[in-house]
Amino acid sequence: MIFKFKNARQETENQVTDESVYRQRRELLKKMGYFGAGSLLASSAANAGPLDWFSSDDEVIFKTKALTFSKQTDDTQKQTPVEKATSYNNFFEFGTGKSDPVKNAQEFNVDPWSLSIGGLVEKPITLGLDDLYSSFELEERIYRLRCVEAWSMVIPWIGFSLASLLKKVQPLSSAKYVAFETLYDPKQMPGQRNRFVGGGVDYPYVEGLRIDEAMHKLTMLSVGMYGNTLPPQNGAPVRLVVPWKYGFKSIKSIVKITLTDKMPPTTWNILAPNEYGFYANVNPAVDHPRWSQARERRITTGGLLAQNRIDTLPFNGYDDVARLYKGMNLKKFY
Ligand code: MTE
């Protein structure tokens, strides 16, 4: 499927375009020398009308494939529209602005892909792109995603429990943590080539979970959203989703999973340890040093007016996980 819509600044259009139409249009733009010059053409509203057709810089096009899955969870909360969830992103490998990933990740090639799972396990394995879609029964799970920046979305993910993958590799009893790593490919990821584009992060982006968190039934590896494979800006072809933790734990475009006996380093904790902890459980009672975490801006539509402010819930409302942290001081282990 090809999604075509205006980028985050103009998220009014949500159309699906036939691929041949899109290709013809790109060819025509190239021939006419307009390719890459779209910003000039699109920069003012006065250019609307016939020239609007050529506004290639502001146009966002990405391809995904439909996935087959069995429905599992339901969520009565209003879903974030697909055009918002796929154009307002954090993926610093493609730039630090919210609309950078959708613009800069479109040529991101994920085929072939290799995800290796090893470390303290009986049976290490490597999964290729097709394995990710066919080795596990895919489920749709509608989860709330709460970013540490105090905005949130409701997203229908498609994927499988991380636990089902971990069971396959048979963790040794010495395995206490699970470490994750994003692809390191500066050729494809401008933020890895240039520190200014990539926000000063020391790449590859890394994350980690305690093994009981990784085995919890809510923790999933996602390979799709809104019925289709993941678009590049959302972490194609495979990402983590841990709905009771701040969004930065949900690491994108994973190539390596390692079971270990030591708490693994995590990207945001390395950057600012007093602001971002290893646990990063959503917690309205523990403010970020620079802002409150008591409330959040729920993004339900593209329009500013419909961005509701709501109370943030402990563990993002996923109360079942509270038992994982019994007896822990969650102000200290933030
Ligand atoms: N994974 C990688 N590799 N690089 C990133 O910059 N950003 C994180 C997380 N995963 C990030 C990442 C942050 S801060 C958030 S809030 C979520 O991805 C956002 O996911 P989304 O863009 O699909 O909403």
Side-chain angles (χ1 to χ4, degrees):
M1 180 177 283
I2 297 181
F3 290 92
K4 179 176 90 68
F5 50 85
K6 300 285 179 181
N7 76 13
R9 279 167 286 138
Q10 296 169 280
E11 58 280 316
T12 47
E13 195 181 334
N14 177 23
Q15 297 166 349
V16 175
T17 310
D18 183 64
E19 185 169 6
S20 61
V21 174
Y22 151 55
R23 289 210 180 287
Q24 283 167 26
R25 189 171 167 190
R26 299 270 281 205
E27 281 314 306
L28 186 64
L29 288 170
K30 247 192 230 161
K31 272 189 205 135
M32 295 181 75
Y34 279 115
F35 215 62
S39 56
L40 279 178
L41 291 164
S43 59
S44 98
N47 285 325
L51 283 181
D52 203 30
W53 201 78
F54 298 108
S55 307
S56 59
D57 265 11
D58 273 351
E59 191 173 77
V60 167
I61 299 167
F62 56 88
K63 279 186 280 181
T64 56
K65 273 193 305 198
L67 286 172
T68 311
F69 56 86
S70 60
K71 238 188 163 80
Q72 203 212 23
T73 58
D74 221 347
D75 195 311
T76 50
Q77 304 200 16
K78 195 171 169 14
Q79 280 181 32
T80 299
V82 61
E83 66 268 27
K84 195 72 195 180
T86 57
S87 66
Y88 185 91
N89 298 103
N90 278 331
F91 199 170
F92 277 27
E93 286 85 338
F94 293 101
T96 55
K98 291 285 178 287
S99 58
D100 288 343
V102 70
K103 282 188 284 180
N104 299 334
Q106 294 318 305
E107 304 301 322
F108 183 40
N109 181 20
V110 301
D111 189 7
W113 194 261
S114 167
L115 168 62
S116 66
I117 305 100
L120 300 174
V121 300
E122 286 289 352
K123 297 187 167 161
I125 54 169
T126 300
L127 301 174
L129 190 64
D130 290 340
D131 302 325
L132 290 171
Y133 302 121
S134 60
S135 300
F136 302 89
E137 200 183 326
L138 300 183
E139 302 161 4
E140 180 176 75
R141 299 188 185 184
I142 302 165
Y143 281 165
R144 303 178 288 279
L145 174 86
R146 169 60 157 87
C147 179
V148 75
E149 297 162 345
W151 53 264
S152 62
M153 297 190 188
V154 179
I155 299 180
W157 302 104
I158 299 166
F160 49 89
S161 285
L162 176 60
S164 53
L165 171 60
L166 295 180
K167 278 177 200 150
K168 256 190 196 202
V169 297
Q170 299 177 15
L172 301 178
S173 58
S174 52
K176 304 284 182 242
Y177 294 93
V178 184
F180 303 85
E181 198 174 303
T182 293
L183 177 72
Y184 183 70
D185 186 353
K187 278 204 185 101
Q188 291 211 76
M189 295 172 150
Q192 294 181 339
R193 289 197 296 274
N194 181 325
R195 282 186 77 75
F196 294 103
V197 177
V201 170
D202 200 6
Y203 292 105
Y205 193 103
V206 287
E207 257 307 332
L209 294 173
R210 230 171 45 190
I211 194 146
D212 58 339
E213 297 176 321
M215 294 296 281
H216 191 277
K217 62 179 191 289
L218 288 172
T219 305
M220 80 186 292
L221 282 180
S222 166
V223 296
M225 63 198 296
Y226 298 91
N228 292 289
T229 53
L230 283 177
Q233 63 272 25
N234 292 89
V238 58
R239 69 173 293 170
L240 187 68
V241 181
V242 195
W244 72 93
K245 291 180 180 281
Y246 291 121
F248 65 84
K249 299 293 288 183
S250 292
I251 180 173
K252 297 177 171 182
S253 304
I254 305 168
V255 291
K256 197 166 159 193
I257 299 178
T258 312
L259 284 89
T260 160
D261 54 359
K262 291 178 195 67
M263 185 181 272
T266 59
T267 286
W268 282 97
N269 182 251
I270 296 167
L271 272 175
N274 63 324
E275 299 189 4
Y276 309 101
F278 173 83
Y279 283 94
N281 292 319
V282 174
N283 191 343
V286 177
D287 285 340
H288 185 280
R290 290 181 281 130
W291 59 84
S292 165
Q293 293 293 23
R295 290 169 71 72
E296 66 200 57
R297 181 169 55 93
R298 171 63 54 84
I299 300 174
T300 48
T301 79
L304 276 173
L305 290 176
Q307 297 184 347
N308 310 317
R309 295 207 174 261
I310 55 174
D311 286 344
T312 288
L313 299 172
F315 303 112
N316 205 18
Y318 297 97
D319 298 335
D320 180 65
V321 301
R323 62 191 163 83
L324 303 179
Y325 309 102
K326 241 194 189 137
M328 276 176 74
N329 178 350
L330 295 179
K331 291 205 155 97
K332 187 168 166 214
F333 297 103
Y334 53 92

